[in-house]
Amino acid sequence: MASTDVIVQEVSRRDDSQRFVNDFSLQVATVNGSGSQSANTILLRSIFQMGIPVSGKNLFPSNIAGLPTWYTIRANKHGYIGRKKEIDFLIAMNQETAREDVLSLSPGAAVLYDEPMNLASLRPDLTFYSVPFDKIVATVCPEAKLRKLVKNMIYVGVMAHLLGLDMVQVENALRKQFAKKVKAADLNWGAAQAGFDYAASSLSKKDPCRVERMDKTAGKIIVDGNTAAALGSMFAGVTVVTWYPITPSSSLVETLIDYMKKYRIRPDGKATFAIVQAEDELAAIGMVIGAGWAGARAMTATAGPGISLMAEFAGLGYYVEIPAVIWDIQRVGPSTGLPTRTSQGDVLFTAVLSHGDTKHIMLFPASVEECFSMAQDAFNLAEWFQTPVFVMSDLDLGMNNWMSDPFPYPTQPIDRGKVLSKEDLDRLGGFARYKDVDGDGIGWRTLPGTDHPAAAYFTRGSGHNEKAQYTERPDDYENNMLRLARKFEGARARVPKSVQMGSGRERVGIIAYGTSHWAILESRDQLRNEHGLESDYLRLRAYPFPHEVQDFIENHERVYVVEQNRDAQLFDLLRLDLPVEQVGKLRSIAHCHGLPLDARSVTDELMSLEGN
Amino acid sequence: MATTSSAEPKTNRIGLTVIDYKGGRTTLCAGCGHNAISERIIDAMYEMGVQPERVAKLSGIGCSSKSPAYFMSRSHSFNAVHGRMPSVATGAVLANHNLIALGVSGDGDTASIGIGQFVHLMRRNLPLIYIIEDNGVYGLTKGQFSATADIGSKLKTGVINDLPPIDTCALAIQLGASFVGRSFSGDKRQLLAMLKAAIAHRGTVMLDVISPCVTFNDHEGSTKSYKYMKDHDEPLQEISFIPSFEEIDVDYDPGTTVDVTMHDGSHLRLRKLDVDYDPTNKLRAIATLTEAHHEGETLTGVFYIDPNKPTFMDLLHVTDEPLATLPADAVRPPKAVLDEVMESLR
């Protein structure tokens, strides 16, 4: 199909002047450490403030300064905020990558570049804008050593002119970005204006990318998933946070520290929390387990390498039944992998993290709003089921900017689960820690420090019976393990339900989770509009899989499981979970390049698997 | 103490008998030093009148780490994973700083697999009593050398240890523990006094207690045997402890005795024996340990103490109530806070 389709697309691109209005992908190629992040955020916000749905994705190196970085802003009037495969407009600021960046563009795309790079001769099928950044910056920034930082603001002004951005919105975004740093704001605003003036006087618009005011972002916020997770955790009542720095999870805890210092210090100066940077991830989760045992709402945040180190404690937490919340902001593995690229590659490992028979509850947030709400779900589930709960975010969700409705204030009470107080013990006389008195596999626990002679029990990772006593008896071991399995089964009904879209009567079903969601939303429209293929969609939000998953598979001829890893990890978990007659219906679509999944790739592969 | 013949059992200052501090029956070998340490812990807790429910016992893996099952059944206990007790203990104290945290570890659990967590625990001066039941070998896996075994000491199998030992006391002093000492499971009097002082101390107490393994390391050629300790135990001081709730009825001679006023008003009295020793001088402490080591002596006593050093919990400045049980309205900010944050993200 490829060659003819490309030509058709290209023709329609040129013909349809409306097509790129509020629908384009703009990429800024810079060097990290050059201050481009501010310029990019201001561009993003300016488009957002004009009412156009927008998303920003930072493709950055595992490095502090001097290596190539690409930031992609996607504006889309339909509200598609996943990654778009094609780049429509390139801002080339990095000599090192400019040639390859330009050569990889689709025909018809536009390029704005720093004049000395002289890129215009590279391709005849692109639109080029040449801007003498150094000359312009010299006129607005007398201080030579600041020019490097201000230079990037010039493309904001140039783009404002070329795209038709309202400079009032640009200034609003700029002043918000620099907040209290008025001098820096003034200097940068001057640079943006100079860029705008240069474009107005010296460039003539030749590409189709434009913005027109819309009303699709009114009341919305822009936030990254790690910030949302931090906020969710604060409102979930977290009291102990222990962590070890690792990309891409560090910003979750660092943001949490900022919010907690601001909102969780009492008037007497005392903190209602303790946050500790541990010596490694082993200690981070060990502290969480210790704190959870003693009754705190305790959490840590990490990424794949940390998850590997936490395996031993995860098994302990499962077996001795201690609540814990672990955020995994997934990045590309195995080993160090690509620390600054996104992935859903920890799902299979985390599901059974530990030696011995172990199963863990996992939550799959797809949006910043779910990072906020699942932070609360995670604690409630962890304390209810007395077990570690893993929230499987990823770098794309955690570190990139997403548009969202404001988060609703939590309505669910903080559920501390089955904890016996001194008064309960007075009434009961005693208790057996691991006895299934309620038939749900969940025993009652007491907290250390409970002032009752019968409160204490012995927590041990070795074999234990209902009374938490040491045992090596085969029946004690087996009964305990079967109870743990029953408890885990019970979680199916209590974890966040799947979200379903579509008529429910189509032949083709799609299952996805986490950030793959955004590609699926768009891909289903592509399948319908371009191929006449209607689909139903089930978005999984948790493991163990809720009961509706089997019904969904039952009701479809073929079900595509879409995810961002090589080995089809969730597909594998489904295969383990489903009745054998359903397994044959599953097809895998798995991508593992480290970039956020895009709709086009899903559509193409799905149609190819459909036999088209 | 159990010399009275009256019908009423003897009780401590909170009305409990020593039975209230007992644990389960030990499953360790007869004669194991660890059992003697368990007994001293019971005595110390009883004599200090500690409410058992306030104590959290924490341990790692190994013979030593089993021992919390053999004392104080009325205290919560957590037998965690190998070498990781410090992190679990830290978490527990973060959650509830009103607990009296008692960590029991071994030389393998501390100085090999757990050395990373051990050094960071010492750095933090977390309020915690950390006891190493130190026998120089891995008992549960049948007698391999640990990292505290001395150069030249010999296994039953004839294998000679050719690596230098890690001195956990010197490490703890250097890193920031505020009460560091060494004792011997066979020295009832010294160990009991040190344990009582440990209970009164605020901050990390690190006690390395030589505790012979009767099965795998009590033979000729071992430097952690009962006989070796009998010949080489070199106490620095004669230690007495006067708890805050008891009258001081004995004077001391400042020329021969160092009197340390503990944070809770108790007094630790260290009567100097051979050398003039200042237990508040870090450098001197480490030098003394090094010298004793060169001379092949096992120095015991209180090596270092700073009763007023701020603890990790002081630095964290948390609420007086345990974080674990703060009510919902104390830990969930009001809606106005969320509104404010949402506004900032628009």
Side-chain angles (χ1 to χ4, degrees), chain A residues 219 235 263 270 279 409 459, chain B residues 77 79 124 332-333 340 346:
Chain A
F235 284 96
Y263 298 117
K270 296 285 180 78
E279 55 269 33
Y409 190 72
T459 304
Chain B
S77 194
N79 184 191
R124 295 188 180 106
R332 173 175 282 173
E340 182 182 308
R346 274 182 221 282

Side-chain angles (χ1 to χ4, degrees), chain B residues 81-345:
Chain B
V81 286
H82 201 12
R84 320 279 179 237
M85 176 266 277
S87 63
V88 175
T90 303
V93 173
L94 294 174
N96 184 349
H97 59 87
N98 292 338
L99 293 172
I100 295 165
L102 173 66
V104 179
S105 182
D107 39 306
D109 195 57
T110 291
S112 290
I113 192 170
I115 194 75
Q117 296 210 344
F118 174 74
V119 298
H120 288 277
L121 177 75
M122 295 302 125
R123 270 181 86 208
R124 295 188 180 106
N125 194 32
L126 184 86
L128 168 89
I129 302 165
Y130 190 103
I131 296 171
I132 305 175
E133 301 185 339
D134 185 356
N135 56 21
V137 288
Y138 289 83
L140 264 187
T141 52
K142 303 201 170 181
Q144 300 83 1
F145 276 127
S146 82
T148 64
D150 292 303
I151 285 193
S153 72
K154 196 166 77 180
L155 286 185
K156 263 180 150 176
T157 55
V159 177
I160 307 279
N161 180 41
D162 49 12
L163 289 175
I166 292 176
D167 188 333
T168 51
C169 289
L171 254 185
I173 293 166
Q174 192 212 335
L175 290 165
S178 48
F179 180 172
V180 178
R182 178 170 288 135
S183 188
F184 168 45
S185 64
D187 188 341
K188 283 187 183 183
R189 197 160 169 263
Q190 185 197 48
L191 180 55
L192 179 61
M194 282 169 75
L195 284 169
K196 285 159 80 173
I199 293 165
H201 183 71
R202 220 173 140 270
T204 298
V205 182
M206 208 299 284
L207 299 181
D208 178 36
V209 185
I210 307 300
S211 175
C213 174
V214 290
T215 305
F216 295 108
N217 207 13
D218 198 30
H219 48 270
E220 189 66 34
S222 159
T223 61
K224 300 265 194 289
S225 65
Y226 282 111
K227 179 163 190 318
Y228 187 90
M229 283 305 289
K230 201 162 278 171
D231 298 342
H232 296 84
D233 182 353
E234 197 67 42
L236 256 184
Q237 317 106 334
E238 194 181 293
I239 303 171
S240 53
F241 177 79
I242 305 147
S244 58
F245 53 84
E246 273 177 21
E247 293 275 321
I248 301 177
D249 55 4
V250 187
D251 285 337
Y252 72 97
D253 168 12
T256 59
T257 301
V258 176
D259 180 272
V260 181
T261 307
M262 310 286 291
H263 193 269
D264 70 344
S266 305
H267 287 264
L268 178 65
R269 288 201 178 155
L270 308 167
R271 194 170 71 80
K272 298 164 196 173
L273 295 175
D274 286 349
V275 289
D276 191 15
Y277 189 78
D278 172 10
T280 63
N281 183 335
K282 267 193 183 195
L283 288 176
R284 180 70 201 280
I286 292 171
T288 305
L289 282 167
T290 312
E291 283 158 21
H293 186 70
H294 273 292
E295 285 157 24
E297 300 295 349
T298 304
L299 213 55
T300 58
V302 174
F303 300 144
Y304 179 72
I305 186 161
D306 176 356
N308 298 313
K309 183 180 174 176
T311 72
F312 194 51
M313 298 314 291
D314 295 332
L315 303 180
L316 288 168
H317 211 55
V318 297
T319 53
D320 297 339
E321 317 95 285
L323 294 176
T325 48
L326 288 173
D329 62 357
V331 296
R332 173 175 282 173
K335 184 168 181 299
V337 167
L338 185 62
D339 293 344
E340 182 182 308
V341 175
M342 289 299 109
E343 193 51 43
S344 73
L345 297 170

Side-chain angles (χ1 to χ4, degrees), chain A residues 33-352:
Chain A
S34 67
S36 57
Q37 191 62 27
S38 300
N40 298 334
T41 306
I42 290 163
L43 260 184
L44 175 87
R45 279 203 163 273
S46 303
I47 298 170
F48 171 78
Q49 286 165 10
M50 289 186 68
I52 303 145
V54 69
S55 62
K57 295 197 188 300
N58 193 14
L59 188 69
F60 60 105
S62 180
N63 172 265
I64 297 302
L67 286 188
T69 300
W70 295 267
Y71 190 81
T72 307
I73 294 171
R74 181 178 188 187
N76 185 276
K77 57 191 161 211
H78 308 293
Y80 301 138
I81 53 177
R83 185 173 74 90
K84 185 179 174 184
K85 198 171 182 183
E86 308 80 22
I87 302 298
D88 303 305
F89 202 117
L90 171 72
I91 301 173
M93 300 295 288
N94 182 3
Q95 175 86 50
E96 198 188 322
T97 65
R99 191 181 152 83
E100 198 186 332
D101 289 343
V102 168
L103 291 179
S104 65
L105 291 171
S106 301
V111 182
L112 167 72
Y113 66 94
D114 194 4
E115 193 172 46
M117 285 196 256
N118 203 13
L119 300 175
S121 58
L122 279 178
R123 285 186 47 180
D125 57 342
L126 306 177
T127 301
F128 286 94
Y129 301 103
S130 168
V131 175
F133 280 85
D134 288 332
K135 281 183 201 157
I136 302 173
V137 80
T139 63
V140 293
C141 185
E143 225 177 308
K145 64 174 185 198
L146 290 179
R147 283 178 194 158
K148 195 185 117 194
L149 296 172
V150 176
K151 185 174 166 181
N152 286 308
M153 210 55 65
I154 289 170
Y155 67 68
V156 174
V158 174
M159 289 311 294
H161 179 75
L162 289 175
L163 294 174
L165 282 171
D166 183 348
M167 281 300 269
V168 174
Q169 298 303 344
V170 174
E171 185 175 5
N172 286 346
L174 188 146
R175 301 224 175 259
K176 185 181 178 83
Q177 179 72 21
F178 290 100
K180 287 177 186 131
K181 296 179 211 150
V182 178
K183 258 176 101 172
D186 289 344
L187 188 62
N188 279 282
W189 176 232
Q193 282 177 308
F196 186 90
D197 293 344
Y198 174 83
S201 62
S202 310
L203 301 179
S204 58
K205 174 80 172 172
K206 290 175 288 186
D207 73 282
C209 298
R210 275 194 298 121
V211 295
E212 281 176 11
R213 193 173 277 284
M214 293 179 78
D215 60 355
K216 285 206 173 171
T217 66
K220 298 209 187 267
I221 58 169
I222 293 182
V223 68
D224 61 79
N226 283 351
T227 299
L231 281 170
S233 304
M234 177 169 74
F235 284 96
V238 67
T239 47
V240 173
V241 184
T242 58
W243 66 300
Y244 185 74
I246 182 170
T247 304
S249 74
S250 306
S251 68
L252 194 163
V253 179
E254 286 171 329
T255 310
L256 182 55
I257 290 170
D258 291 344
Y259 281 128
M260 296 289 260
K261 279 185 178 166
K262 193 161 178 194
Y263 298 117
R264 288 276 298 274
I265 306 265
R266 285 185 174 173
D268 64 0
K270 296 285 180 78
T272 60
F273 63 89
I275 301 183
V276 175
Q277 184 180 324
E279 55 269 33
D280 55 29
E281 288 92 343
L282 301 169
I285 191 169
M287 291 177 196
V288 167
I289 294 285
W293 175 70
R297 284 206 145 181
M299 67 177 275
T300 184
T302 189
I307 290 290
S308 290
L309 288 178
M310 291 178 183
E312 184 186 36
F313 263 119
L316 178 77
Y318 171 80
Y319 192 46
V320 304
E321 302 178 61
I322 291 175
V325 171
I326 301 104
W327 282 79
D328 179 6
I329 316 302
Q330 296 170 89
R331 67 188 215 186
V332 171
S335 190
T336 306
L338 308 179
T340 59
R341 300 291 188 273
T342 196
S343 157
Q344 295 181 320
D346 298 345
V347 171
L348 187 57
F349 180 50
T350 304
V352 294

